Amino acid sequence: MGLGEGNGALVSTANPITATPMPAHPDPLHQRVLADQTLLGDMAFAVGGPFHLMYPQRVARNIAAFHAVFDRAGVGGTVYYAKKANKAACVVRVCADNSAGVDVSSIGELAAALAGGARGPELMVTGPAKSDELLWLAARHGALIAVDALDELDRLAALPTDMSAAVLLRVRPPGSSSRFGLTDTELRQAISQIDPDGPICLDGFSFHLTGYEPGPRATLATALIERCRAARAAGHVAATLSIGGGFGVDYLDAGRWAQFQERRDHRWFHADRAMAEFYPYHCRSAGAAMLTEILSTGGLAHRLRENGIRLAVEPGRALLDGAGCTVMRVQGVKTREAHGETYDLLTVDGTSLSLSEQWFNSEYLPDPVLWPARTPAPTPVPTCVGAATCLESDMLSHRRIPLPHPAQVGDLLIYPNTAGYQMDSNESTFHELPLPPKLVLHSEQQRFRWTLDRAIA
Ligand SMILES: *Cc1c(COP(=O)(O)O)cnc(C)c1O
């Protein structure tokens, strides 16, 4: 649908090259940070470049919400934080302090999780085709290993005789073309190959689905309860089911998101750029609420309880909801024209590699906030955001964001709620630009203090 159709009141004042506003849900802690007269400016002065600001207290809140769902359902449950979603050491520390484990997929992630305070048995090791070194280290530390291929079992069986290993068998979802997980035939072979007397202990099964729907997760978990029962009948422990991650995050309200989708117009984007699909920035049943829905679908909670099965979840993005923002400094402002209208084209001091959604030929949609706030202009200023590199395509925001007033060199642009995947999945020292450091916010006795995150990677 083009502009000029639909809701007249909203459209009549709209500039055809300006995207609809997409403010992130307000978060009291983030609002306090934005409202502070000096905090962000002082941080930017100290760092002298772009940076990420972490709010670890939000991770603690999100873990507690998952734990509360397990408690209410009377289901034994474990939260494993999917570490690939953010490398900050402060997140692992919060997991260690709040009885959450960590899901890792490489030696680097495993080492960082241990260094951050996780204990070996609190780790889940996922990922395809694990190296011998990773398998050995995982077994050595007593981590739970999600086996993705039969040869991983062979290689675990070949470990020194004094070593044992606890495994989940990762199931390829029925009817899927996923490259991960074991087929039915492979599962049968794996189960028959594991000796119930050791040294490999079959603890249960796991899966990780794409998409953010509760239904398919509940259905597959229910089917796997039967597999656990059959494996127990053959003498295995089979007391854990992991339903992976994919718990959604609700970044924007339903109305804003619907408006964006209905009115989306190539004229909103710099150089009329066509974008692939976008992450579903509005999510009806996000994070722990989605776990509630999964557990209540088809009596799953009841089935888990009556079979004494522990449910594991591996949320990445959902544990990082509200847990940080990304701050860039405006380094240049140009005025440009498109479709007969003028707009501002900013260059900030960072790159789109610090806002990783560009990885998917897409972009991060929650609107950045300009800091400090000044008197609003009579009409919003359509503004695109380019990166400090020589690549034409390196833009943080192709879409023209309606900023309340024109940006000036030295202002800060703060992208909200970026801790889940945006900060460091793609980070690079391209152009010999330094990696943006992560600062960690502490709020004690009514005042903010901050430290540098001390990730070892
Ligand atoms: C990436 C991944 C997760 C985390 O996914 P989110 O969407 O961030 O919750 C969990 N488990 C596995 C196996 C993964 O690959």
Side-chain angles (χ1 to χ4, degrees), residues 413-431:
L413 204 55
I414 297 120
Y415 282 89
N417 206 0
T418 51
Y421 291 108
Q422 302 307 317
M423 292 182 174
D424 55 26
S425 313
N426 285 16
E427 66 185 357
S428 151
T429 53
F430 183 53
H431 265 304

Side-chain angles (χ1 to χ4, degrees), residues 80 82-85 103 105 126-127 170 180 207-209 211-212 217 242-248 313-319 421:
Y80 293 89
K83 193 171 188 317
K84 69 172 186 273
D103 161 21
S105 293
T126 59
R170 180 162 170 178
F180 304 118
F207 62 82
H208 173 67
L209 303 184
Y212 301 93
R217 291 172 166 83
S242 178
I243 61 170
F247 296 86
V313 291
E314 304 157 15
R317 193 187 284 264
L319 286 195
Y421 291 108

Side-chain angles (χ1 to χ4, degrees), residues 82-85 102-114 123:
K83 193 171 188 317
K84 69 172 186 273
V102 184
D103 161 21
V104 300
S105 293
S106 68
I107 288 182
E109 286 184 351
L110 191 150
L114 292 172
L123 299 179

Side-chain angles (χ1 to χ4, degrees), residues 13-15 17-23 256 259-260 268 343-344 365-370 377 379-385 397 399-407 413:
T13 54
N15 177 330
I17 66 162
T18 312
T20 54
M22 279 181 287
R256 297 289 191 192
Q259 191 183 44
F260 174 82
W268 290 355
Y343 68 98
D344 278 359
L365 292 183
D367 285 345
V369 169
L370 194 55
T379 55
V381 184
T383 307
C384 304
V385 185
S397 298
R399 78 186 183 290
R400 296 186 189 88
I401 297 153
L403 290 183
H405 55 83
L413 204 55

Side-chain angles (χ1 to χ4, degrees), residues 89 92-93 95-97 102 111-120 122 454:
V92 173
R93 175 58 190 256
C95 291
D97 286 339
V102 184
L114 292 172
R119 299 185 188 103
E122 295 163 347
R454 30 154 216 89

Side-chain angles (χ1 to χ4, degrees), residues 49-236:
F51 61 95
H52 305 291
L53 181 57
M54 296 294 297
Y55 306 146
Q57 46 285 75
R58 285 287 177 261
V59 180
R61 180 196 64 180
N62 297 335
I63 292 171
F66 275 91
H67 285 163
V69 172
F70 284 128
D71 288 348
R72 274 199 303 274
V75 169
T78 309
V79 176
Y80 293 89
Y81 161 59
K83 193 171 188 317
K84 69 172 186 273
N86 191 305
K87 292 175 188 149
C90 66
V91 178
V92 173
R93 175 58 190 256
V94 169
C95 291
D97 286 339
N98 291 272
S99 309
V102 184
D103 161 21
V104 300
S105 293
S106 68
I107 288 182
E109 286 184 351
L110 191 150
L114 292 172
R119 299 185 188 103
E122 295 163 347
L123 299 179
M124 166 104 75
V125 181
T126 59
K130 295 166 207 55
S131 68
D132 284 343
E133 292 77 11
L134 179 57
L135 290 173
W136 178 83
L137 202 58
R140 178 94 184 140
H141 285 282
L144 188 54
I145 302 169
V147 166
D148 187 61
L150 290 175
D151 72 283
E152 289 182 359
L153 277 183
D154 297 336
R155 289 184 289 130
L156 281 172
L159 288 173
T161 47
D162 61 337
M163 283 178 82
S164 58
V167 304
L168 303 179
L169 298 178
R170 180 162 170 178
V171 176
R172 191 178 75 167
S176 114
S177 53
S178 171
R179 68 189 180 94
F180 304 118
L182 302 165
T183 63
D184 254 12
T185 317
E186 289 167 336
L187 281 173
R188 272 196 301 276
Q189 189 179 331
I191 294 165
S192 65
Q193 181 176 329
I194 297 171
D195 180 348
D197 295 327
I200 295 174
C201 172
L202 175 55
D203 252 13
F205 300 90
S206 74
F207 62 82
H208 173 67
L209 303 184
T210 53
Y212 301 93
E213 290 303 315
R217 291 172 166 83
T219 306
L220 188 48
T222 304
L224 292 182
I225 290 175
E226 295 313 313
R227 276 205 194 273
C228 284
R229 290 165 59 97
R232 283 178 181 179
H236 297 288

